[in-house]
Amino acid sequence: MLQPMASGVCSTMAQALGEDLVQPGELQDDSSSLGSDSELNGPGPYRQADRYGFIGGSSAEPGPGHPPADLIRQREMKWVEMTSHWEKTMSRRYKKVKMQCRKGIPSALRARCWPLLCGAHVCQQNSCDTYQELAEAPGDPQWMETIGRDLHRQFPLHEMFVSPQGHGQQGLLQVLKAYTLYRPEQGYCQAQGPVAAVLLMYLPPEEAFWCLVQICEVYLPGYYGPHMVFAALLRRLLPRVHKHLQQVGVGPLLYLPEWFLCLFARSLPFPTVLRVWDAFLSEGVKVLFRVGLTLVRLALGTTEQRLACPGLLETLGALRAIPPTQLQEEVFMPQVHSVALSEQDLQREIKAQLVQLPASASGPPPRPQARLPGAQAIFEAQQLAGTRGATRPEVPRIVVQPPEEPRPPRRKPQTRGKTFHGLLTRSRAPRIESPARSHRGSTSSLDTRF
């Protein structure tokens, strides 16, 4: 969960992610989602917004690496067909959903697909009045003050969040306030801001709220030591890079919290952020580990790159100064999906770290069983919960009918000494009428009707 994960690392993140680690302006891509206080001077008076809503961004038109318009239309039609029969699709054709998510959900359909993938539409249906009640309720003054200070920091160059009184910042305030009321024991974490802001770029506030709930409570519930799990995976998959990081004293806590807690919303170009989220909502938290491993490999994967980073500051600078051309979605995402990390590998490392959990560890207890590995597991869990929570069937009603009157025994015809012809020509005895029986009557004296 965002808050339990943040409870142990947010304070460390504040120290670790200092001003020395801020990426220089000349290294930032215009289409990036990175935002800092230095951007608060506001955009230029006549700068145009790109196709994602960032003022002055360079993504006004699709680049050469983007799929052509005809291919995008084909993908849109596939998603319309899949989402129109969502239960059937998830029950029988989830592999197709996963592959389409890896190719990228069309921007026009993310508002429809994200709540379906994360199960937020079911939560909203089951609690139709919850968000409205939370939005109208007064918030905790302590949390409201903290949230108010952070609003202007969330994507200040996006047209939704430029004005303090605009619908973007006001919607963000309502969503974050609602979460603090919905989970008062967890409250607010600064990493929730950029996550909720990205959701609001595509969803209305109520749907964004339920998606945030699902991300916090289903995709990222608190388990022990995500940085330790990442270090173990780094040691197994990139041993030379892991050795270099140990030698210069760069642990995962110095760079991983910003990546994981914000779901890379502040660390990658925005088109790539959307592609990461498409895969993350489909396949679960293993996508975050794959992205993190890919970033470390791009920054320090070669001997020349490691030799150019003899100390801590140089290494951290390299992790934040990956060339933007290597982070473009069509180049970056195939490398992410090629990382040899399965859900079983991740579960094995998490269990190994839980074994090392000291008995005196503070903070919320780990709940690895609460995490569900992606959209398919969420769908199956919600289907099972819906079956258990459905209206109980009516108790069978037992109707006792009176027994039928016994029929007289059948008289056996006397054939002794008679010929076959005589039997045929013999006048038949009067037929004994049996008591009338209902056509729908049961031969049993108990009729169980449901």
Side-chain angles (χ1 to χ4, degrees):
M1 186 184 303
L2 287 176
Q3 179 62 21
M5 289 177 65
S7 60
V9 297
C10 273
S11 59
T12 308
M13 180 171 61
Q15 301 173 1
L17 303 174
E19 293 182 358
D20 293 335
L21 305 184
V22 176
Q23 185 178 1
E26 62 271 12
L27 297 177
Q28 295 185 14
D29 181 50
D30 285 340
S31 64
S32 173
S33 58
L34 293 171
S36 63
D37 290 343
S38 62
E39 297 171 324
L40 297 181
N41 294 329
Y46 299 109
R47 301 184 70 181
Q48 182 181 4
D50 66 7
R51 59 197 177 103
Y52 297 105
F54 289 93
I55 300 174
S58 61
S59 298
E61 295 294 336
H66 293 269
D70 292 342
L71 181 58
I72 294 177
R73 296 296 177 268
Q74 293 178 9
R75 292 178 179 175
E76 288 177 348
M77 294 303 298
K78 289 181 180 179
W79 275 106
V80 168
E81 191 273 334
M82 290 190 300
T83 55
S84 298
H85 309 88
W86 186 246
E87 292 189 2
K88 179 180 177 181
T89 301
M90 290 298 294
S91 300
R92 304 178 184 179
R93 303 168 64 189
Y94 170 69
K95 288 185 178 180
K96 180 178 180 180
V97 174
K98 182 176 74 172
M99 294 310 298
Q100 291 298 320
C101 286
R102 287 190 174 191
K103 294 177 181 179
I105 301 174
S107 293
L109 292 174
R110 281 195 173 97
R112 182 173 184 173
C113 298
W114 280 0
L116 290 173
L117 287 170
C118 70
H121 68 297
V122 175
C123 298
Q124 185 175 352
Q125 292 172 2
N126 295 339
S127 307
C128 55
D129 297 328
T130 300
Y131 177 77
Q132 189 64 30
E133 295 173 357
L134 296 173
E136 295 175 356
D140 187 325
Q142 176 186 357
W143 293 126
M144 295 300 292
E145 181 182 358
T146 306
I147 294 172
R149 290 198 302 264
D150 291 341
L151 289 178
H152 67 278
R153 298 189 177 101
Q154 312 307 330
F155 304 104
L157 292 184
H158 193 279
E159 58 185 359
M160 276 187 63
F161 303 101
V162 169
S163 173
Q165 302 302 323
H167 69 281
Q169 289 197 26
Q170 292 302 310
L172 183 60
L173 175 65
Q174 291 298 320
V175 170
L176 296 177
K177 181 198 76 171
Y179 190 85
T180 62
L181 296 174
Y182 187 71
R183 289 290 182 260
E185 72 280 2
Q186 299 166 14
Y188 167 70
C189 172
Q190 285 185 331
Q192 294 171 350
V195 174
V198 174
L199 292 172
L200 284 170
M201 293 179 193
Y202 287 88
L203 302 168
E206 184 173 3
E207 290 187 18
F209 165 76
W210 287 115
C211 286
L212 179 63
V213 170
Q214 288 294 95
I215 290 174
C216 294
E217 300 186 359
V218 179
Y219 285 87
L220 299 175
Y223 56 85
Y224 181 67
H227 60 287
M228 300 178 67
V229 175
F230 187 83
L233 295 173
L234 199 62
R235 182 172 58 251
R236 180 168 66 86
L237 298 175
L238 298 171
R240 295 181 180 179
V241 176
H242 177 263
K243 181 179 179 181
H244 172 79
L245 292 173
Q246 281 190 320
Q247 290 176 346
V248 298
V250 176
L253 277 177
L254 296 180
Y255 56 88
L256 198 65
E258 184 184 30
W259 290 356
F260 275 31
L261 294 179
C262 300
L263 306 184
F264 297 94
R266 288 189 170 276
S267 308
L268 294 172
F270 193 71
T272 309
V273 171
L274 297 176
R275 291 286 300 274
V276 169
W277 280 41
D278 293 341
F280 165 70
L281 294 176
S282 170
E283 302 178 50
V285 73
K286 68 181 178 184
V287 173
L288 303 184
F289 285 91
R290 288 175 176 174
V291 173
L293 291 169
T294 303
L295 288 175
V296 173
R297 183 182 60 80
L298 290 175
L300 302 168
T302 66
T303 303
E304 292 77 10
Q305 288 174 323
R306 293 191 293 271
L307 290 176
C309 302
L312 182 144
L313 292 179
E314 294 86 353
T315 302
L316 290 174
L319 289 172
R320 294 186 60 87
I322 300 174
T325 55
Q326 299 184 27
L327 300 180
Q328 298 306 308
E329 51 178 322
E330 299 300 333
V331 177
F332 183 73
M333 294 308 297
Q335 300 180 60
V336 171
H337 298 312
S338 66
V339 175
L341 175 63
S342 65
E343 181 64 30
Q344 290 74 19
D345 297 333
L346 184 59
Q347 289 284 2
R348 190 182 308 113
E349 294 297 342
I350 292 175
K351 291 179 180 179
Q353 299 305 323
L354 286 175
V355 172
Q356 304 177 18
L357 177 65
S360 60
S362 59
R367 297 185 300 114
Q369 70 280 0
R371 182 178 64 85
L372 295 177
Q376 186 177 31
I378 293 174
F379 173 79
E380 293 173 351
Q382 290 182 336
Q383 291 289 101
L384 181 61
T387 302
R388 291 176 176 175
T391 304
R392 297 184 62 180
E394 183 182 355
V395 178
R397 182 170 55 92
I398 299 178
V399 180
V400 180
Q401 295 182 342
E404 298 177 352
E405 296 181 2
R407 292 184 296 173
R410 227 172 168 189
R411 295 183 63 182
K412 189 174 183 181
Q414 297 293 331
T415 61
R416 192 171 183 178
K418 307 291 183 181
T419 64
F420 182 73
H421 177 73
L423 287 174
L424 293 178
T425 57
R426 179 186 173 195
S427 60
R428 297 180 179 273
R431 187 175 181 180
I432 301 175
E433 298 292 340
S434 60
R437 295 180 57 193
S438 172
H439 177 69
R440 300 180 64 181
S442 174
T443 57
S444 172
S445 61
L446 295 182
D447 183 17
T448 305
R449 301 178 182 175
F450 296 90

